[in-house]
């Protein structure tokens, strides 16, 4: 089990035996970090914020965002997707957007049944799109951070290189051995140094641990970023996200952006296709918006949360009014409050 103290509140990782995908042959445990002023309640009308990292990343990328949101009283969950951070890879054949979304849902449902403010960055945004398409009933709002739906070009590794990736294990005896192994897969020295600083590469009681896995990079490129799944997921959202659906927000970087504006996979087409989608450009920030501008990003998430909270409450009371009108002779007992908080 991993743990991280965020701000002044409790933040605990989910242990490996608490969450898994229920399908036979695809059981996987996901690690997570929870942050907030109090424990997460299973049932609550307030939504909860779920943060999904991108390629070669992990839950640690959201530290600053979680700190900012906790200061405002919001509860967050940051996940390690399979083969990222401290989560195991499971069956290699199961590494695809649909299964990644199932892994996420099993993990989240082990903690809470609340609506989600789902935030996905880059590759993680592709997984978030698939989650929202397959489980729209779970979503309060969707934030897509700097990602469009265009299938990326990807050159498959040689058989020899693929076997090297499969032989990679996250545990090493020394820091030097881990650095050398990552360098052999083409990772730059400054990037490796940044990962040590962020906690993606960590010293353990015995040896060191890599939260970066070259095989995960390959599988994510091949099965997530180079696939048409994001386009398919977006078409599904276009079909089902009507008046009673949820808001979608596209965050676009000012430079080094992975979200094109034009073309059939660009943000213009995405906005045209899915109702209730709006775009916001973060100037002058780059692809990792939540790291370049954590206060601004957290403020936008806060805005999305509060807007979704109002919609959830309005929907609830509207349904309650319709039920009262349909059954006028029923003796209704009204409870004006509800437990929990953000």
């Amino acid at each position: 089990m991993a743990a991280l103290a965020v701000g002044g509140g409790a933040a605990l990782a989910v242990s490996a035996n608490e969450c898994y995908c229920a399908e036979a042959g695809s059981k996987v445990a996901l690690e997570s970090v929870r942050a907030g002023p109090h424990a997460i309640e299973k049932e609550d009308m307030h939504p909860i914020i779920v943060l999904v990292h991108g390629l070669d990343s992990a839950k640690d990328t959201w530290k600053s965002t979680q700190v900012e949101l906790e200061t405002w009283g919001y509860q967050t969950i940051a996940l390690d997707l399979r083969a990222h951070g401290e989560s195991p890879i499971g069956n290699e054949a199961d590494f695809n957007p649909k299964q990644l979304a199932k892994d996420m849902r099993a993990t989240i449902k082990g903690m809470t049944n609340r609506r989600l403010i789902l935030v996905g960055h880059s590759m993680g945004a592709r997984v978030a799109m698939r989650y929202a398409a397959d489980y729209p009933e779970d979503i309060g709002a969707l934030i897509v951070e700097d990602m469009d739906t265009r299938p990326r070009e990807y050159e498959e590794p040689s058989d020899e290189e693929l076997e090297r990736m499969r032989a990679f294990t996250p545990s090493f005896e020394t820091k030097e051995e881990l650095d050398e192994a990552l360098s052999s897969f083409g990772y730059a020295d400054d990037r490796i140094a940044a990962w040590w600083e962020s906690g993606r590469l960590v010293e353990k009681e015995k040896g060191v641990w890599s939260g970066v896995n070259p095989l995960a990079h390959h599988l994510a490129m091949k099965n997530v970023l180079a696939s048409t799944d994001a386009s398919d997921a977006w078409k599904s959202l276009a079909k089902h996200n009507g008046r009673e659906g949820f808001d979608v927000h596209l965050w676009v970087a000012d430079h080094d952006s992975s979200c094109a504006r034009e073309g059939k996979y660009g943000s213009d087409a995405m906005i045209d296709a899915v109702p209730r989608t709006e775009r916001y450009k973060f100037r002058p920030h780059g692809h990792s918006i939540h790291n370049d501008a954590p206060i601004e990003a957290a403020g936008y998430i806060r805005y999305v949360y509060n807007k979704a909270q109002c919609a959830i409450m309005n929907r609830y009371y509207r349904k309650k009014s319709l039920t009262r009108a349909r059954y006028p002779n029923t003796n209704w007992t009204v409870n004006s409050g509800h437990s929990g908080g953000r």
Side-chain angles (χ1 to χ4, degrees):
M1 179 189 293
L4 175 67
V6 180
L12 302 172
V14 179
S15 64
N17 61 359
E18 286 179 323
C19 49
Y20 58 89
C21 178
E23 288 192 352
S26 59
K27 183 175 179 180
V28 148
L30 297 186
E31 292 287 347
S32 68
V33 167
R34 293 170 281 178
H38 47 75
I40 293 173
E41 297 199 8
K42 187 78 173 178
E43 307 292 340
D44 194 334
M45 288 180 67
H46 293 288
I48 191 164
I49 300 160
V50 174
L51 307 164
V52 189
H53 63 78
L55 185 67
D56 288 330
S57 191
K59 58 186 180 294
D60 63 84
T61 190
W62 299 106
K63 282 180 187 176
S64 296
T65 308
Q66 288 188 288
V67 167
E68 290 298 329
L69 288 168
E70 186 185 29
T71 62
W72 289 324
Y74 293 88
Q75 291 180 313
T76 60
I77 303 169
L79 299 167
D80 279 340
L81 296 175
R82 62 167 67 199
H84 291 76
E86 296 178 288
S87 293
I89 192 167
N91 188 338
E92 185 181 321
D94 289 333
F95 197 105
N96 58 73
K98 201 170 191 69
Q99 186 61 56
L100 293 169
K102 287 180 179 179
D103 292 345
M104 283 176 53
R105 191 171 197 248
T107 301
I108 294 162
K109 289 296 184 183
M111 290 182 269
T112 185
N113 290 320
R114 293 156 65 177
R115 290 287 188 98
L116 311 180
I117 308 302
L118 185 57
V119 186
H121 174 236
S122 196
M123 183 273 290
R126 294 279 179 102
V127 181
M129 292 179 203
R130 172 48 61 192
Y131 190 114
D134 287 356
Y135 312 109
E137 67 276 12
D138 292 0
I139 306 298
L142 172 65
I143 298 176
V144 174
E145 182 181 348
D146 206 47
M147 179 52 60
D148 54 25
T149 64
R150 177 177 61 85
R152 296 323 196 236
E153 294 182 4
Y154 179 58
E155 185 177 341
E156 293 259 7
S158 65
D159 291 344
E160 181 182 353
E161 189 70 1
L162 185 55
E163 286 308 311
R164 273 210 326 125
M165 292 176 182
R166 287 174 174 149
F168 181 90
T169 59
S171 183
F172 288 79
E173 288 189 6
T174 68
K175 176 181 181 296
E176 291 72 25
E177 288 177 350
L178 174 52
D179 288 353
E180 184 179 346
L182 291 174
S183 294
S184 74
F185 287 101
Y187 292 112
D189 291 345
D190 58 345
R191 201 173 182 199
I192 294 170
W195 288 336
W196 281 109
E197 189 175 340
S198 72
R200 203 163 303 161
L201 309 178
V202 294
E203 293 186 12
K204 296 286 190 179
E205 199 171 310
K206 293 184 178 180
V208 295
W209 178 272
S210 175
V212 178
N213 188 325
L215 181 58
H217 180 104
H218 158 65
L219 294 172
M221 286 297 307
K222 177 183 177 181
N223 299 334
V224 182
L225 290 169
S227 79
T228 61
D229 186 79
S231 178
D232 295 338
W234 206 257
K235 289 174 185 174
S236 180
L237 286 175
K239 192 180 298 182
H240 300 299
N241 195 38
R243 189 171 64 87
E244 291 295 320
F246 48 85
D247 290 343
V248 179
H249 301 262
L250 300 181
W251 289 5
V252 182
D254 190 44
H255 60 88
D256 301 322
S257 179
S258 292
C259 185
R261 179 161 188 154
E262 299 177 350
K264 69 176 183 177
Y265 300 113
S267 61
D268 282 348
M270 293 169 74
I271 291 169
D272 290 342
V274 176
R276 300 172 60 176
T277 299
E278 54 187 80
R279 174 175 52 209
Y280 183 79
K281 191 165 189 175
F282 282 77
R283 294 184 173 91
H285 306 296
H287 176 61
S288 188
I289 295 166
H290 65 277
N291 280 315
D292 285 1
I295 296 175
E296 189 177 354
Y300 197 111
I301 294 171
R302 185 185 183 192
Y303 152 70
V304 171
Y305 181 105
N306 292 339
K307 190 177 178 185
Q309 172 68 36
C310 289
I312 291 167
M313 297 295 288
N314 287 340
R315 199 172 298 137
Y316 170 79
Y317 286 113
R318 187 166 64 248
K319 287 180 179 178
K320 201 167 189 178
S321 295
L322 290 172
T323 304
R324 287 168 180 270
R326 188 174 296 171
Y327 304 103
N329 297 322
T330 302
N331 181 20
W332 297 95
T333 301
V334 179
N335 180 3
S336 59
H338 59 276
S339 64
R342 289 186 292 248

